[in-house]
Amino acid sequence: MRLLLTSAFLIVLLNGCSSPKTTYYTLHADPIPPALAGAKNTRVMVGPVSLPEMIDQPQIVALGSDNQVQVYEYNRWAGSLKSDIGRVIAANLARDLGTSNVWNFAQSTQTNFDYQVLVDVQNLQSKSDDSVLVDVLWTIKPANAKNKPDR
């Protein structure tokens, strides 16, 4: 009986001291349909993507409207948030443009493009169990502008 009580006490103690389970998240894009006959041949590179340092972390960071920052230690991104944002934008553009010639800067060595979409995430705010507000600056640059000096 004493062994049983000691074992039960140890099990309760160990369960009470265990750390919370970490949950991983990723951004989702709808599947890209197969290329259509006569699809556009426009080549688009998405990225690089820039994020504020505060949210560019493995942990999910929520910026509230009252300037509070909440870091969710046990809710994490499964991969790089920058890369996921670029991947989702590239997939959405490929679907919307009807071409498979769209790729994410972070996941390709391809440098020949017709247009480059630069993405600068300014803010990412969320309300608990409600909604997410994302402020993004976009720059769409034609390929012929990639080697011109800025004035």
Side-chain angles (χ1 to χ4, degrees), residues 27 51-52 54-56 60-70 72 77 81 85 121-136:
L27 299 179
L51 294 171
M54 184 182 341
I55 62 174
D56 189 16
I60 292 179
V61 177
L63 304 176
S65 58
D66 54 356
N67 292 327
Q68 290 185 345
V69 177
Q70 177 69 44
Y72 295 94
W77 295 110
L81 182 57
I85 289 171
V121 177
Q122 297 288 299
N123 193 11
L124 184 68
Q125 289 185 340
S126 65
K127 293 181 181 176
S128 184
D129 298 326
D130 187 19
S131 61
V132 175
L133 171 69
V134 182
D135 289 326
V136 178

Side-chain angles (χ1 to χ4, degrees), residues 2-144:
R2 183 178 177 126
L3 179 61
L4 182 59
L5 287 175
T6 304
S7 297
F9 176 74
L10 285 174
I11 289 171
V12 169
L13 182 65
L14 290 174
N15 282 337
C17 294
S18 64
S19 62
K21 180 183 174 203
T22 301
T23 305
Y24 294 93
Y25 297 90
T26 188
L27 299 179
H28 171 74
D30 290 332
I32 301 169
L36 305 171
K40 301 172 189 162
N41 291 323
T42 303
R43 300 166 299 170
V44 179
M45 179 172 66
V46 176
V49 173
S50 64
L51 294 171
E53 189 175 322
M54 184 182 341
I55 62 174
D56 189 16
Q57 301 183 41
Q59 300 89 347
I60 292 179
V61 177
L63 304 176
S65 58
D66 54 356
N67 292 327
Q68 290 185 345
V69 177
Q70 177 69 44
V71 178
Y72 295 94
E73 186 63 38
Y74 299 104
N75 293 307
R76 294 176 170 250
W77 295 110
S80 162
L81 182 57
K82 278 184 191 181
S83 183
D84 278 357
I85 289 171
R87 177 183 52 79
V88 169
I89 291 172
N92 288 340
L93 279 174
R95 189 181 59 254
D96 292 348
L97 295 174
T99 182
S100 59
N101 290 327
V102 181
W103 61 92
N104 181 7
F105 174 86
Q107 297 174 329
S108 176
T109 58
Q110 173 66 277
T111 59
N112 294 322
F113 55 85
D114 297 311
Y115 295 96
Q116 181 177 13
V117 180
L118 304 168
V119 180
D120 185 13
V121 177
Q122 297 288 299
N123 193 11
L124 184 68
Q125 289 185 340
S126 65
K127 293 181 181 176
S128 184
D129 298 326
D130 187 19
S131 61
V132 175
L133 171 69
V134 182
D135 289 326
V136 178
L137 296 177
W138 307 80
T139 302
I140 301 173
K141 198 165 85 169
N144 59 5

